[in-house]
Amino acid sequence: MNLRATAALCVALSLCALLVVPGNFPGLSGQARLTLAVFVLATCAWIGTPVDDTYIALGAGLALTVTGVISSDTLFGTLGDSTVWLLICAFVLAAAVARTGLAGRAAAFLVGGARTVRQLVHLTTAALVVTAFAVPATSGRAALALPVFLALAKALADRRRLVVMLALLFPTVILLSAVATLIGAGAHLITVSVLWQETGERIGFTQWLLLGLPLAVASSHLAAELVLLTTTRRADRRGAVHITAEQIQEHSKSPVTGPWTPSETRCALLLGTVVLLWCSEPLHRVSPAVVALIGAVVASSPALGTVRLKDALKTVPWSLLLFMAATMAMGVALADSGAARWVVGGLPAEVTPLAFLTVVVVVSTAAHLVLQSRSARSSVLVPLVVAAAVGAGVNPVAAALASTAAAGFCHTLPASAKPVTLFADIPGTPTYTPRDLLRLSAVLAPLTAALVLIFAVAVWPLLGVPVAR
């Protein structure tokens, strides 16, 4: 057992021992004690053991059910939550898009127009931000973008620094731009669920888009400039670039130029219609999950579809969905047992909203050093942040969004996020080193944290999410 696992085990057992003693913490009920014990054990297991995150979450949910903290209906009912169905259907739609090769056409159209290094960087960034609307989860977007990166790397093979820069740019933008949409990461759906359970406020696709897209665009292009400046020299940035469609075609199985095929046309129209219906939810009042289900049925239909349903369902990350469902149940237990309110009850009452949000953003930004799973970070932090916000007089929606957005920064180590791991080791292609990541993170972490804080206190209030309750 390594030092990290040993330390996590010692912390978990010590805290659980304190909770077991009846005389300790007199204001804590029996169910709250059980909930906190399970919560502490699960968190320490996520931090210090190599056990699969989903297995730990399912074990925690089962323990809470067996001990009577939550009912079996609560545990199993989370799988029927609309956010879970939204993600399932979004993956089916993503499979249909991937099957047609529309991503290659979009890459050829956008990147082919670059004539300078800076244009290439920002056009690539814009293209990666757009993929947040078509492909859910950052790992799926990274897999979709990898062939495009390989094409660019081959075209720039004689300019090694630019290839390394692009290798770092892709995962950086993919991670930071996920906040653009509700389906950008599983952590977003956990946040929405916690807010609904604890406050009765539900954030829809349109509201998340309104709040998250400007932040995603700003943080992604800021990060793009930082990647460019920290990994290249002035001489590297001076030379012209010219990426042809033929070079991108070499890494694409589908045509990237020429007339569109009927399947590409149908898929593009379907995707555009689904996104338009998601964005116009306040007008037609149809749930985003229902819209996604309609889109998934059409995308996999024998007559109009581009992918078979059973093939599309193979791309759905069922492990992530089970993890989300189990952690939603944990959130219900934390709220209903009073454990979350007790944990944050000792916080100073006299704290300004700015100071509160600053602490939330800093802790959430640094949390990836302890909890590598983005969904696990939200599962641990958001219930506590929401409970603390209510007690501090801060709008829980603003606090939860700030925490979730800040937790999107996870660039410090190659193992901090799946996209970073994927692009860190590509056979036959030069890529970044841990030192490159540390140099970028030293600058990017404080700047992205500051940007999230600025949005929380200055931009989001203008969009209907005030700082104070």
Side-chain angles (χ1 to χ4, degrees):
M1 185 178 292
N2 58 36
L3 182 61
R4 183 173 181 175
T6 303
L9 180 62
C10 291
V11 170
L13 293 177
S14 299
L15 290 174
C16 289
L18 290 173
L19 289 167
V20 167
V21 178
N24 292 336
F25 318 120
L28 206 55
S29 67
Q31 286 197 339
R33 289 174 188 272
L34 285 171
T35 301
L36 285 178
V38 171
F39 189 75
V40 167
L41 287 170
T43 302
C44 291
W46 282 328
I47 294 172
T49 69
V51 180
D52 184 77
D53 290 343
T54 302
Y55 187 84
I56 295 169
L58 287 174
L62 182 60
L64 291 169
T65 303
V66 170
T67 55
V69 177
I70 58 175
S71 66
S72 59
D73 289 341
T74 299
L75 177 64
F76 297 130
T78 54
L79 276 173
D81 191 271
S82 61
T83 56
V84 173
W85 278 93
L86 173 63
L87 197 59
I88 292 173
C89 297
F91 270 99
V92 173
L93 286 167
V97 173
R99 182 66 64 91
T100 60
L102 285 173
R105 285 188 180 274
F109 174 76
L110 285 170
V111 178
R115 293 297 176 263
T116 67
V117 173
R118 183 164 271 109
Q119 284 181 355
L120 175 64
V121 167
H122 285 283
L123 285 173
T124 301
T125 299
L128 290 172
V129 171
V130 171
T131 62
F133 294 89
V135 182
T138 53
S139 55
R141 293 168 62 205
L144 183 70
L146 184 59
V148 177
F149 164 72
L150 292 174
L152 296 178
K154 187 173 182 180
L156 300 170
D158 57 335
R159 303 170 72 176
R160 188 179 186 279
R161 289 185 186 276
L162 292 188
V163 176
V164 173
M165 180 271 296
L166 288 173
L168 189 53
L169 175 72
F170 272 72
T172 297
V173 174
I174 286 170
L175 289 168
L176 292 178
S177 61
V179 74
T181 70
L182 182 59
I183 62 172
H188 302 169
L189 303 179
I190 292 172
T191 298
V192 169
S193 175
V194 171
L195 279 170
W196 171 250
Q197 291 161 1
E198 295 197 22
T199 68
E201 297 189 53
R202 185 178 288 278
I203 300 179
F205 187 93
T206 306
Q207 187 180 10
W208 190 291
L209 181 70
L210 181 65
L211 300 170
L213 182 58
L215 175 59
V217 172
S219 60
S220 296
H221 285 280
L222 171 65
E225 276 295 319
L226 291 177
V227 170
L228 184 62
L229 295 175
T230 57
T231 56
T232 63
R233 298 171 181 171
R234 184 171 296 178
D236 301 319
R237 300 189 290 271
R238 279 184 184 149
V241 296
H242 181 59
I243 310 297
T244 64
E246 290 73 19
Q247 291 169 321
I248 295 178
Q249 180 68 73
E250 292 178 9
H251 292 268
S252 176
K253 297 179 181 179
S254 305
V256 299
T257 57
W260 284 33
T261 64
S263 61
E264 287 176 329
T265 303
R266 290 197 307 270
C267 190
L269 288 173
L270 175 61
L271 182 62
T273 302
V274 169
V275 173
L276 181 63
L277 289 173
W278 277 341
C279 295
S280 58
E281 178 191 356
L283 298 177
H284 54 70
R285 299 294 181 183
V286 179
S287 165
V290 174
V291 172
L293 181 57
I294 295 171
V297 169
V298 174
S300 57
S301 64
L304 300 175
T306 59
V307 64
R308 293 189 302 175
L309 182 60
K310 67 177 184 179
D311 294 331
L313 290 176
K314 291 177 182 178
T315 67
V316 177
W318 298 105
S319 178
L320 172 62
L321 295 176
L322 289 173
F323 177 88
M324 286 173 50
T327 52
M328 286 177 189
M330 291 173 64
V332 172
L334 281 170
D336 292 351
S337 68
R341 289 190 298 273
W342 180 86
V343 169
V344 301
L347 296 177
E350 298 299 327
V351 59
T352 65
L354 178 60
F356 179 87
L357 288 174
T358 300
V359 172
V360 167
V361 168
V362 170
V363 171
S364 300
T365 301
H368 73 282
L369 298 173
V370 179
L371 280 168
Q372 294 180 345
S373 167
R374 190 173 189 165
S375 296
R377 291 198 294 276
S378 288
S379 302
V380 172
L381 291 174
V382 173
L384 301 179
V385 166
V386 170
V390 172
V394 176
N395 184 357
V397 175
L401 285 173
S403 175
T404 305
F409 176 85
C410 37
H411 303 65
T412 306
L413 301 171
S416 294
K418 290 178 183 177
V420 179
T421 304
L422 179 64
F423 281 85
D425 184 17
I426 304 175
T429 303
T431 185
Y432 49 84
T433 64
R435 185 177 178 180
D436 294 324
L437 282 174
L438 290 173
R439 182 168 59 246
L440 174 65
S441 297
V443 183
L444 185 58
L447 286 181
T448 53
L451 188 62
V452 171
L453 192 59
I454 290 171
F455 268 76
V457 300
V459 178
W460 290 343
L462 300 177
L463 301 175
V465 181
V467 175
R469 295 188 72 188

